[in-house]
Amino acid sequence: MNLTELNRIATAMVAPGKGILAADESSGTIKKRFDAIGVDSTEANRRDYREMLFRSKEAISQYISGVILYDETIWQDAKDGTPLVKLIEQSGAIPGIKVDEGTQALPMCPGELVTVGLDKLAERLKKYYERGARFAKWRAVIHIGSGIPSMTAISVNAHALARYAALCQAAQIVPIVEPEVLMDGDHDIDRCYEVTQRVLNKTFQELRVQRVALEGMVLKPNMAISGKKCAKQASVEEVAEKTIRLLKACVPAAVPGIAFLSGGQSDEEATAHLNAMHKLGQLPWGLTFSYGRALQAAPQKAWSGRPENVAAGQAAFSHRARMNGLAAKGEWQSSLEQKAA
Ligand code: 13P
């Protein structure tokens, strides 16, 4: 393992004013997104849609540090035969790959999940590296509900995240470690804070036990945020203040960067939260976005599967990328959104 190189890549992934495009929806998830805009989820349509995003050259070169791909996409070529991975590289971003294989029910723990995909991961990583991937992603999912999460769910998921991260580093790939505490439910922000704190502490404990080099990874957490169905929704300032307090308490300064998931927040909320965090002063790590839905909802709608809408889809994507790029430096203002509309 070359830790200097892993650290260089991890640092580039969270470069000031840049963040990550999570375009790694599994076939099931992208079908849901396409259903919402009335597009058939065929292999060609999935390729055309992602090719549209990756050819948004100006936005990617200025605001996007890396792109997370799904297995199907990393092997696909653009219409003109150029591998999609090359399009990303030509736009100046680093290609990455989602390597977990989704979740399964966790035995003895009703309502809880464990992420799978460790078997044969070492061999798969080798092939992804050869294809150009320089970082990877593994997402663990933690539910908040009555009596959950259990320590069992937190523990097995942290163990799997650390196993994955160690395998990545051995294959010279930067692991994005993503323990997502879901915002589904009616819990308040303080409950989210408390659960996320337990999850992050357990995750870093496992990372240390399994000898993962913190300098060569990126953390992808949820924010401390109210459950979607909570009657009392925390303000932007409260989300920012509690999230930063939580991360300072749990994430060692050796970690080069933190890149948030959007997790079901609206586009503008996700941007406003990141921006507000940067208003709070100096931070020990790079802090940016690794958004899926919050970067893609607008371009998906603008595109709607029609070739004549490609320019509109790219404009919508470029706008969100720019808004989040500004937020990653604390330079975003809501008036910039209105101007675009
Ligand atoms: P969202 O931003 O849509 O939550 O997706 C990010 C991601 O990659 C989840 O694993």
Side-chain angles (χ1 to χ4, degrees):
M1 171 183 88
N2 177 344
L3 184 53
T4 308
E5 180 59 11
L6 287 175
N7 179 258
R8 190 187 67 77
I9 297 204
T11 304
M13 287 162 67
V14 297
K18 286 191 179 190
I20 298 164
L21 165 63
D24 61 329
E25 298 84 1
S26 63
S27 303
T29 303
I30 198 74
K31 181 175 182 316
K32 268 193 252 160
R33 306 281 182 260
F34 278 14
D35 284 349
I37 51 169
V39 175
D40 279 345
S41 187
T42 60
E43 186 178 344
N45 284 343
R46 293 192 291 270
R47 190 272 314 274
D48 289 349
Y49 168 64
R50 285 162 172 152
E51 178 174 349
M52 170 184 85
L53 295 181
F54 306 159
R55 283 193 190 276
S56 306
K57 200 162 178 174
E58 216 177 305
I60 293 190
S61 64
Q62 290 184 75
Y63 307 114
I64 302 293
S65 56
V67 180
I68 319 177
L69 303 171
Y70 183 60
D71 179 76
E72 175 185 89
T73 319
I74 201 170
W75 305 110
Q76 272 175 332
D77 294 334
K79 260 209 177 101
D80 68 1
T82 314
L84 292 180
V85 179
K86 288 279 168 270
L87 285 189
I88 294 167
E89 287 168 354
Q90 285 162 9
S91 296
I94 309 166
I97 178 79
K98 168 196 176 78
V99 300
D100 69 67
E101 293 177 333
T103 54
Q104 287 181 359
L106 182 61
M108 317 303 162
C109 296
E112 297 193 283
L113 302 172
V114 61
T115 302
V116 298
L118 288 169
D119 291 352
K120 310 218 171 70
L121 180 55
E123 294 91 75
R124 287 165 58 217
L125 288 169
K126 225 180 271 169
K127 294 193 188 120
Y128 289 140
Y129 185 93
E130 281 163 19
R131 184 71 175 173
R134 290 297 175 268
F135 69 92
K137 178 190 113 172
W138 177 289
R139 173 175 175 255
V141 185
I142 302 290
H143 287 88
I144 297 183
S146 126
I148 60 171
S150 63
M151 201 55 222
T152 314
I154 293 176
S155 183
V156 296
N157 277 294
H159 185 266
L161 274 168
R163 287 265 289 130
Y164 140 83
L167 286 164
C168 282
Q169 291 189 337
Q172 204 52 42
I173 288 180
V174 171
I176 294 185
V177 172
E178 181 180 8
E180 175 173 5
V181 177
L182 295 178
M183 60 186 291
D184 301 344
D186 60 4
H187 56 273
D188 65 10
I189 185 171
D190 293 324
R191 174 112 168 95
C192 172
Y193 186 110
E194 174 254 326
V195 170
T196 306
Q197 183 167 36
R198 278 200 279 149
V199 168
L200 290 177
N201 285 341
K202 188 68 190 167
T203 300
F204 279 100
Q205 183 190 24
E206 278 295 339
L207 290 168
R208 285 185 199 284
V209 167
Q210 298 189 42
R211 306 184 182 187
V212 173
L214 301 184
E215 298 85 347
M217 64 163 273
V218 168
L219 179 72
K220 177 161 172 167
N222 53 285
M223 298 176 189
I225 197 164
S226 320
K228 262 189 225 151
K229 292 196 199 124
C230 180
K232 192 170 147 270
Q233 291 289 312
S235 66
V236 170
E237 289 69 32
E238 187 177 0
V239 169
E241 187 271 316
K242 287 188 171 163
T243 300
I244 292 301
R245 180 148 41 102
L246 170 65
L247 293 173
K248 281 185 175 168
C250 301
V251 185
V255 173
I258 298 175
F260 292 107
L261 57 96
S262 60
Q265 301 177 43
S266 75
D267 296 0
E268 218 172 305
E269 276 164 3
T271 305
H273 288 147
L274 177 62
N275 188 67
M277 291 180 214
H278 277 283
K279 297 272 190 207
L280 297 174
Q282 281 281 337
L283 298 168
W285 356 253
L287 189 81
T288 189
F289 58 90
S290 174
Y291 294 159
R293 282 163 282 181
L295 277 170
Q296 295 186 65
Q300 278 163 7
K301 218 167 143 201
W303 172 64
S304 290
R306 294 164 199 256
E308 65 270 26
N309 290 344
V310 163
Q314 289 179 325
F317 170 66
S318 300
H319 175 67
R320 287 272 36 98
R322 177 164 166 263
M323 293 300 100
N324 285 304
L326 290 171
K329 294 196 284 187
E331 292 172 6
W332 172 85
Q333 288 169 8
S334 64
S335 58
L336 295 170
E337 301 280 355
Q338 279 123 42
K339 256 184 241 158

Coordinates of all heavy atoms in Angstrom, one line a residue, residues 173-251:
I173 N -6.9 1.6 -3.4 CA -8.2 2.3 -3.7 C -8.6 3.0 -2.4 O -8.6 2.4 -1.3 CB -9.2 1.3 -4.2 CG1 -8.9 0.9 -5.6 CG2 -10.6 1.9 -4.1 CD1 -9.9 -0.1 -6.2
V174 N -9.0 4.3 -2.5 CA -9.4 5.0 -1.3 C -10.8 4.6 -1.0 O -11.7 4.7 -1.8 CB -9.4 6.6 -1.6 CG1 -10.1 7.4 -0.5 CG2 -8.0 7.0 -1.8
P175 N -11.1 4.2 0.3 CA -12.4 3.8 0.6 C -13.3 5.0 1.1 O -12.8 5.8 2.0 CB -12.2 2.8 1.8 CG -10.9 3.2 2.4 CD -10.1 3.8 1.3
I176 N -14.5 5.2 0.6 CA -15.4 6.1 1.2 C -16.2 5.2 2.2 O -16.8 4.2 1.8 CB -16.4 6.6 0.2 CG1 -15.7 7.6 -0.8 CG2 -17.5 7.4 0.9 CD1 -16.7 8.3 -1.8
V177 N -16.1 5.6 3.4 CA -16.8 4.8 4.5 C -18.1 5.5 4.8 O -18.1 6.6 5.2 CB -15.9 4.8 5.7 CG1 -16.6 4.1 6.9 CG2 -14.6 4.0 5.4
E178 N -19.2 4.8 4.5 CA -20.5 5.5 4.6 C -21.5 4.7 5.5 O -22.1 3.8 5.1 CB -21.2 5.5 3.2 CG -22.6 6.2 3.2 CD -23.2 6.3 1.9 OE1 -22.7 5.8 0.9 OE2 -24.3 7.0 1.8
P179 N -21.5 5.2 6.8 CA -22.5 4.6 7.7 C -23.7 5.6 7.7 O -23.6 6.6 8.4 CB -21.8 4.6 9.0 CG -20.7 5.6 8.9 CD -20.6 6.1 7.5
E180 N -24.7 5.2 7.0 CA -25.9 6.2 6.9 C -27.0 5.9 7.9 O -27.6 4.9 7.9 CB -26.5 6.1 5.5 CG -27.8 7.0 5.4 CD -28.4 7.1 4.0 OE1 -27.9 6.5 3.1 OE2 -29.4 7.9 3.9
V181 N -27.2 6.9 8.8 CA -28.3 6.8 9.7 C -29.4 7.5 9.0 O -29.4 8.7 8.6 CB -28.0 7.5 11.0 CG1 -29.2 7.5 12.0 CG2 -26.8 6.9 11.7
L182 N -30.5 6.7 8.7 CA -31.6 7.2 7.8 C -32.4 8.3 8.5 O -32.5 8.4 9.7 CB -32.5 6.1 7.5 CG -32.0 5.0 6.6 CD1 -33.0 3.9 6.4 CD2 -31.5 5.5 5.3
M183 N -32.9 9.2 7.7 CA -33.7 10.3 8.2 C -35.2 9.9 8.2 O -36.1 10.8 8.5 CB -33.4 11.7 7.6 CG -33.6 11.8 6.1 SD -33.1 13.4 5.4 CE -34.3 14.5 6.1
D184 N -35.5 8.7 7.8 CA -36.9 8.2 7.8 C -37.4 8.1 9.3 O -36.6 7.7 10.1 CB -37.1 6.8 7.2 CG -36.6 6.8 5.8 OD1 -36.5 7.9 5.2 OD2 -36.3 5.7 5.3
G185 N -38.6 8.6 9.6 CA -39.1 8.4 10.9 C -39.4 9.8 11.6 O -39.2 10.8 11.0
D186 N -40.0 9.7 12.8 CA -40.5 10.9 13.4 C -39.5 11.4 14.6 O -39.9 12.2 15.4 CB -41.9 10.8 13.9 CG -42.0 9.6 14.9 OD1 -41.0 9.0 15.3 OD2 -43.2 9.3 15.4
H187 N -38.3 10.8 14.7 CA -37.4 11.2 15.7 C -36.9 12.6 15.5 O -36.9 13.1 14.4 CB -36.2 10.2 15.7 CG -35.5 10.2 14.4 ND1 -35.9 9.3 13.4 CD2 -34.5 10.9 13.9 CE1 -35.1 9.5 12.3 NE2 -34.2 10.5 12.6
D188 N -36.4 13.2 16.6 CA -36.0 14.6 16.5 C -34.5 14.6 16.3 O -33.8 13.6 16.2 CB -36.4 15.4 17.7 CG -35.7 15.0 19.0 OD1 -34.8 14.1 18.9 OD2 -36.1 15.5 20.1
I189 N -33.9 15.8 16.1 CA -32.5 16.0 15.7 C -31.6 15.4 16.8 O -30.5 14.9 16.5 CB -32.2 17.4 15.4 CG1 -30.7 17.6 14.9 CG2 -32.4 18.4 16.6 CD1 -30.3 18.9 14.3
D190 N -32.0 15.5 18.1 CA -31.2 15.1 19.2 C -31.0 13.6 19.2 O -30.0 13.0 19.5 CB -31.6 15.6 20.5 CG -31.5 17.2 20.6 OD1 -30.5 17.6 20.0 OD2 -32.4 17.8 21.1
R191 N -32.1 12.9 18.8 CA -32.0 11.4 18.7 C -31.1 11.0 17.6 O -30.3 10.1 17.7 CB -33.4 10.9 18.5 CG -33.5 9.4 18.3 CD -34.1 8.6 19.4 NE -34.4 7.2 19.0 CZ -33.5 6.2 19.2 NH1 -32.4 6.4 19.9 NH2 -33.9 5.0 18.8
C192 N -31.2 11.7 16.5 CA -30.3 11.5 15.3 C -28.9 11.7 15.7 O -28.0 10.9 15.4 CB -30.7 12.4 14.1 SG -29.5 12.3 12.8
Y193 N -28.6 12.8 16.5 CA -27.3 13.1 17.0 C -26.7 11.9 17.8 O -25.6 11.4 17.6 CB -27.4 14.4 17.8 CG -26.0 14.9 18.3 CD1 -25.5 16.1 17.8 CD2 -25.3 14.2 19.3 CE1 -24.3 16.6 18.2 CE2 -24.1 14.7 19.7 CZ -23.6 15.9 19.2 OH -22.4 16.4 19.6
E194 N -27.6 11.5 18.7 CA -27.1 10.4 19.7 C -26.8 9.1 19.0 O -25.8 8.5 19.2 CB -28.2 10.3 20.8 CG -28.0 9.2 21.8 CD -29.0 8.0 21.6 OE1 -30.1 8.2 21.1 OE2 -28.6 6.9 21.9
V195 N -27.7 8.7 18.0 CA -27.5 7.5 17.3 C -26.3 7.6 16.4 O -25.4 6.7 16.3 CB -28.8 7.1 16.5 CG1 -28.5 6.0 15.5 CG2 -29.9 6.7 17.4
T196 N -26.2 8.7 15.7 CA -25.0 8.9 14.8 C -23.7 8.9 15.5 O -22.7 8.3 15.1 CB -25.2 10.2 14.0 OG1 -26.5 10.2 13.3 CG2 -24.1 10.4 12.9
Q197 N -23.7 9.5 16.7 CA -22.5 9.5 17.5 C -22.1 8.0 17.9 O -20.9 7.6 17.8 CB -22.8 10.2 18.8 CG -21.6 10.4 19.7 CD -21.8 11.4 20.8 OE1 -22.9 11.5 21.4 NE2 -20.7 12.1 21.2
R198 N -23.1 7.2 18.3 CA -22.7 5.8 18.6 C -22.2 5.1 17.3 O -21.3 4.3 17.4 CB -24.0 5.1 19.1 CG -24.3 5.3 20.6 CD -25.2 4.2 21.1 NE -26.6 4.5 20.8 CZ -27.5 3.6 20.5 NH1 -27.2 2.3 20.6 NH2 -28.7 4.0 20.2
V199 N -22.9 5.3 16.2 CA -22.5 4.7 14.9 C -21.1 5.1 14.5 O -20.2 4.3 14.2 CB -23.5 5.0 13.8 CG1 -23.0 4.6 12.5 CG2 -24.8 4.3 14.1
L200 N -20.8 6.4 14.6 CA -19.4 6.9 14.2 C -18.4 6.4 15.1 O -17.3 5.9 14.7 CB -19.4 8.4 14.1 CG -20.2 9.0 13.0 CD1 -20.2 10.5 13.0 CD2 -19.7 8.6 11.6
N201 N -18.6 6.4 16.4 CA -17.6 5.9 17.4 C -17.3 4.4 17.1 O -16.2 4.0 17.1 CB -18.1 6.1 18.8 CG -18.0 7.6 19.2 OD1 -17.3 8.4 18.6 ND2 -18.7 8.0 20.2
K202 N -18.3 3.6 16.9 CA -18.1 2.2 16.7 C -17.4 2.0 15.3 O -16.5 1.2 15.2 CB -19.5 1.5 16.6 CG -19.4 0.0 16.6 CD -18.8 -0.6 17.9 CE -18.4 -2.1 17.8 NZ -17.6 -2.5 18.9
T203 N -17.7 2.8 14.3 CA -17.1 2.6 13.0 C -15.6 3.0 13.1 O -14.8 2.2 12.6 CB -17.8 3.6 12.0 OG1 -19.2 3.2 11.9 CG2 -17.1 3.5 10.6
F204 N -15.2 4.0 13.8 CA -13.8 4.4 13.9 C -13.1 3.4 14.8 O -11.9 3.1 14.6 CB -13.6 5.8 14.4 CG -13.7 6.8 13.2 CD1 -14.9 7.5 13.0 CD2 -12.7 6.9 12.3 CE1 -15.0 8.3 11.9 CE2 -12.8 7.7 11.2 CZ -14.0 8.4 11.0
Q205 N -13.8 2.8 15.8 CA -13.1 1.8 16.6 C -12.8 0.6 15.7 O -11.6 0.1 15.8 CB -14.1 1.3 17.7 CG -13.5 0.3 18.7 CD -14.6 -0.3 19.6 OE1 -15.8 -0.3 19.3 NE2 -14.1 -0.8 20.7
E206 N -13.7 0.2 14.9 CA -13.4 -1.0 14.0 C -12.3 -0.6 13.0 O -11.5 -1.5 12.6 CB -14.7 -1.4 13.2 CG -15.6 -2.3 14.1 CD -15.0 -3.7 14.4 OE1 -14.1 -4.1 13.7 OE2 -15.5 -4.3 15.3
L207 N -12.4 0.6 12.5 CA -11.3 1.0 11.5 C -10.0 0.9 12.1 O -9.0 0.4 11.5 CB -11.6 2.4 11.0 CG -12.8 2.6 10.1 CD1 -13.2 4.1 9.9 CD2 -12.6 2.0 8.7
R208 N -9.8 1.2 13.4 CA -8.5 1.1 14.0 C -8.2 -0.3 14.3 O -7.0 -0.7 14.0 CB -8.6 1.9 15.4 CG -8.6 3.4 15.3 CD -8.5 4.0 16.7 NE -8.9 5.3 16.7 CZ -8.1 6.4 16.3 NH1 -6.9 6.1 15.8 NH2 -8.6 7.6 16.3
V209 N -9.1 -1.1 14.8 CA -8.8 -2.5 15.0 C -8.3 -3.2 13.8 O -7.4 -4.0 13.8 CB -10.1 -3.2 15.6 CG1 -9.9 -4.8 15.6 CG2 -10.4 -2.8 17.0
Q210 N -8.9 -2.8 12.6 CA -8.6 -3.5 11.4 C -7.5 -2.8 10.6 O -7.2 -3.0 9.4 CB -9.8 -3.7 10.5 CG -10.8 -4.6 11.3 CD -12.0 -5.0 10.4 OE1 -11.8 -5.4 9.2 NE2 -13.2 -5.0 11.0
R211 N -6.8 -1.8 11.3 CA -5.6 -1.2 10.8 C -5.8 -0.4 9.5 O -4.9 -0.3 8.6 CB -4.5 -2.2 10.6 CG -4.2 -3.0 11.8 CD -3.1 -4.0 11.7 NE -2.9 -4.8 12.9 CZ -2.0 -5.6 13.2 NH1 -1.0 -5.8 12.3 NH2 -1.9 -6.2 14.3
V212 N -7.0 0.2 9.4 CA -7.2 1.1 8.2 C -6.5 2.4 8.5 O -6.5 2.9 9.6 CB -8.7 1.3 8.1 CG1 -9.0 2.4 7.0 CG2 -9.5 0.0 7.7
A213 N -5.8 2.9 7.5 CA -5.1 4.2 7.6 C -6.1 5.3 7.4 O -6.6 5.5 6.4 CB -4.0 4.3 6.6
L214 N -6.3 6.1 8.5 CA -7.3 7.1 8.5 C -6.9 8.2 7.4 O -7.8 8.8 6.8 CB -7.5 7.8 9.8 CG -7.9 6.8 11.0 CD1 -8.2 7.6 12.2 CD2 -9.2 6.0 10.6
E215 N -5.6 8.4 7.2 CA -5.1 9.4 6.2 C -5.5 9.0 4.8 O -5.4 9.9 3.9 CB -3.6 9.5 6.3 CG -3.0 9.9 7.6 CD -2.9 8.8 8.6 OE1 -3.4 7.7 8.4 OE2 -2.2 9.0 9.6
G216 N -5.9 7.8 4.6 CA -6.2 7.3 3.2 C -7.7 7.0 3.0 O -8.0 6.0 2.3
M217 N -8.6 7.6 3.7 CA -10.0 7.4 3.5 C -10.8 8.6 3.5 O -10.3 9.7 3.9 CB -10.5 6.5 4.7 CG -10.5 7.1 6.1 SD -11.5 6.3 7.3 CE -13.1 7.1 7.1
V218 N -12.1 8.5 3.1 CA -13.0 9.7 3.2 C -14.3 9.1 3.9 O -14.7 8.0 3.7 CB -13.4 10.2 1.8 CG1 -14.6 11.1 1.8 CG2 -12.2 10.9 1.1
L219 N -14.8 9.9 4.9 CA -16.0 9.5 5.6 C -17.2 10.2 4.9 O -17.2 11.3 4.5 CB -16.0 10.1 7.0 CG -17.2 9.8 7.9 CD1 -17.3 8.3 8.2 CD2 -17.3 10.6 9.1
K220 N -18.3 9.4 4.7 CA -19.5 9.9 4.1 C -20.7 9.7 5.1 O -21.3 8.6 5.1 CB -19.8 9.2 2.8 CG -21.1 9.6 2.1 CD -21.1 9.2 0.6 CE -22.5 9.4 0.0 NZ -22.5 9.4 -1.4
P221 N -20.9 10.7 5.9 CA -21.9 10.5 7.0 C -23.2 11.2 6.6 O -23.3 12.0 5.6 CB -21.3 11.2 8.2 CG -20.5 12.4 7.5 CD -20.1 11.9 6.1
N222 N -24.3 10.9 7.4 CA -25.5 11.8 7.4 C -25.2 13.0 8.2 O -24.3 13.0 9.0 CB -26.6 11.0 7.9 CG -26.3 10.4 9.3 OD1 -25.6 9.4 9.4 ND2 -26.8 11.0 10.4
M223 N -26.0 14.0 8.0 CA -26.0 15.2 8.9 C -26.8 14.8 10.2 O -27.6 13.9 10.2 CB -26.6 16.4 8.2 CG -25.8 16.8 7.0 SD -26.6 18.2 6.1 CE -25.7 18.2 4.6
A224 N -26.6 15.6 11.2 CA -27.5 15.5 12.4 C -28.7 16.4 12.0 O -28.6 17.6 11.8 CB -26.8 16.2 13.6
I225 N -29.8 15.7 11.8 CA -31.0 16.3 11.2 C -32.3 15.7 11.8 O -32.3 14.5 12.2 CB -30.9 16.1 9.7 CG1 -31.8 17.0 8.9 CG2 -31.1 14.6 9.3 CD1 -31.4 17.1 7.4
S226 N -33.4 16.4 11.7 CA -34.6 15.9 12.2 C -35.2 14.8 11.3 O -35.0 14.9 10.1 CB -35.7 17.0 12.2 OG -35.2 18.2 12.7
G227 N -35.8 13.8 11.9 CA -36.5 12.8 11.0 C -37.5 13.5 10.1 O -38.1 14.5 10.5
K228 N -37.8 12.8 8.9 CA -38.6 13.5 8.0 C -40.0 13.8 8.5 O -40.7 14.7 8.2 CB -38.8 12.6 6.7 CG -37.8 13.1 5.6 CD -38.2 12.3 4.3 CE -36.9 11.8 3.7 NZ -37.0 10.6 2.9
K229 N -40.5 12.8 9.4 CA -41.9 13.0 9.9 C -41.9 13.7 11.3 O -42.9 13.7 11.9 CB -42.5 11.6 10.0 CG -42.8 11.0 8.7 CD -43.7 9.8 8.8 CE -43.7 8.9 7.6 NZ -43.4 7.5 7.9
C230 N -40.8 14.2 11.7 CA -40.8 14.9 13.1 C -41.5 16.2 13.0 O -41.3 17.0 12.0 CB -39.3 15.1 13.5 SG -39.2 15.9 15.1
A231 N -42.4 16.4 13.9 CA -43.2 17.6 13.9 C -42.4 18.9 14.0 O -42.7 19.9 13.5 CB -44.3 17.6 15.0
K232 N -41.2 18.7 14.8 CA -40.4 19.9 15.0 C -39.1 19.8 14.1 O -38.2 19.0 14.5 CB -40.0 20.0 16.5 CG -39.4 21.3 16.9 CD -39.3 21.4 18.4 CE -38.1 22.2 18.8 NZ -36.9 21.4 19.0
Q233 N -39.1 20.5 13.0 CA -37.9 20.4 12.1 C -36.9 21.4 12.5 O -37.1 22.6 12.7 CB -38.4 20.7 10.7 CG -39.3 19.6 10.1 CD -38.5 18.4 9.8 OE1 -37.4 18.4 9.1 NE2 -39.0 17.2 10.2
A234 N -35.7 21.0 12.7 CA -34.6 21.8 13.2 C -34.2 22.8 12.1 O -34.3 22.5 10.9 CB -33.3 21.0 13.5
S235 N -33.8 24.0 12.4 CA -33.5 25.1 11.5 C -32.1 24.7 10.8 O -31.4 23.9 11.3 CB -33.3 26.4 12.2 OG -32.2 26.3 13.1
V236 N -31.8 25.4 9.7 CA -30.6 25.3 9.0 C -29.4 25.5 10.0 O -28.4 24.7 10.0 CB -30.5 26.2 7.8 CG1 -29.1 26.3 7.2 CG2 -31.5 25.9 6.8
E237 N -29.5 26.5 10.8 CA -28.4 26.8 11.7 C -28.2 25.7 12.8 O -27.1 25.4 13.1 CB -28.7 28.2 12.5 CG -28.6 29.4 11.6 CD -29.7 29.5 10.6 OE1 -30.8 29.0 10.8 OE2 -29.4 30.0 9.5
E238 N -29.3 25.1 13.2 CA -29.2 24.1 14.2 C -28.6 22.8 13.6 O -27.7 22.2 14.2 CB -30.6 23.8 14.8 CG -30.5 22.8 16.0 CD -31.9 22.5 16.7 OE1 -32.9 23.0 16.2 OE2 -31.9 21.7 17.6
V239 N -29.0 22.5 12.4 CA -28.4 21.3 11.7 C -26.9 21.5 11.6 O -26.1 20.6 11.9 CB -29.1 21.1 10.3 CG1 -28.3 20.1 9.5 CG2 -30.5 20.6 10.5
A240 N -26.5 22.7 11.1 CA -25.1 23.0 10.9 C -24.3 22.9 12.2 O -23.3 22.2 12.3 CB -24.9 24.4 10.3
E241 N -24.8 23.5 13.2 CA -24.1 23.6 14.5 C -24.0 22.2 15.1 O -22.9 21.8 15.5 CB -24.8 24.6 15.4 CG -24.1 24.9 16.7 CD -24.5 23.9 17.9 OE1 -25.7 23.6 18.0 OE2 -23.6 23.5 18.5
K242 N -25.1 21.5 15.1 CA -25.0 20.1 15.8 C -24.2 19.1 14.9 O -23.5 18.3 15.5 CB -26.4 19.6 16.0 CG -27.1 20.4 17.2 CD -28.4 19.8 17.7 CE -28.8 20.6 19.0 NZ -30.2 20.4 19.3
T243 N -24.3 19.3 13.6 CA -23.5 18.3 12.8 C -22.0 18.6 13.0 O -21.2 17.6 13.1 CB -23.9 18.5 11.3 OG1 -25.3 18.3 11.1 CG2 -23.1 17.6 10.4
I244 N -21.6 19.8 13.1 CA -20.2 20.1 13.2 C -19.7 19.7 14.6 O -18.6 19.1 14.8 CB -19.9 21.6 12.9 CG1 -20.1 21.9 11.4 CG2 -18.5 22.0 13.4 CD1 -19.2 21.1 10.5
R245 N -20.5 19.9 15.6 CA -20.2 19.5 17.0 C -20.0 18.0 17.0 O -19.0 17.5 17.6 CB -21.3 20.0 18.0 CG -21.0 19.6 19.4 CD -21.6 20.6 20.4 NE -22.9 21.1 20.2 CZ -24.0 20.6 20.8 NH1 -24.0 19.6 21.6 NH2 -25.2 21.2 20.5
L246 N -20.9 17.3 16.4 CA -20.9 15.8 16.4 C -19.6 15.3 15.7 O -18.9 14.4 16.2 CB -22.2 15.3 15.7 CG -22.3 13.9 15.3 CD1 -22.3 13.0 16.5 CD2 -23.6 13.7 14.4
L247 N -19.4 15.9 14.5 CA -18.2 15.4 13.7 C -16.9 15.7 14.4 O -16.0 14.9 14.4 CB -18.3 16.0 12.3 CG -19.4 15.5 11.5 CD1 -19.5 16.3 10.1 CD2 -19.4 14.0 11.2
K248 N -16.8 16.9 15.1 CA -15.6 17.2 15.8 C -15.4 16.2 16.9 O -14.2 15.9 17.3 CB -15.6 18.6 16.3 CG -15.3 19.7 15.2 CD -15.3 21.1 15.8 CE -14.8 22.1 14.8 NZ -15.0 23.5 15.3
A249 N -16.5 15.8 17.5 CA -16.3 14.8 18.7 C -15.9 13.4 18.2 O -15.3 12.7 19.0 CB -17.7 14.8 19.4
C250 N -16.3 13.1 17.0 CA -16.1 11.7 16.6 C -15.1 11.4 15.5 O -14.6 10.3 15.3 CB -17.5 11.1 16.0 SG -18.8 11.2 17.2
V251 N -14.7 12.4 14.7 CA -13.9 12.1 13.5 C -12.5 12.7 13.7 O -12.3 13.9 13.8 CB -14.5 12.7 12.2 CG1 -13.7 12.3 11.0 CG2 -16.0 12.3 12.1

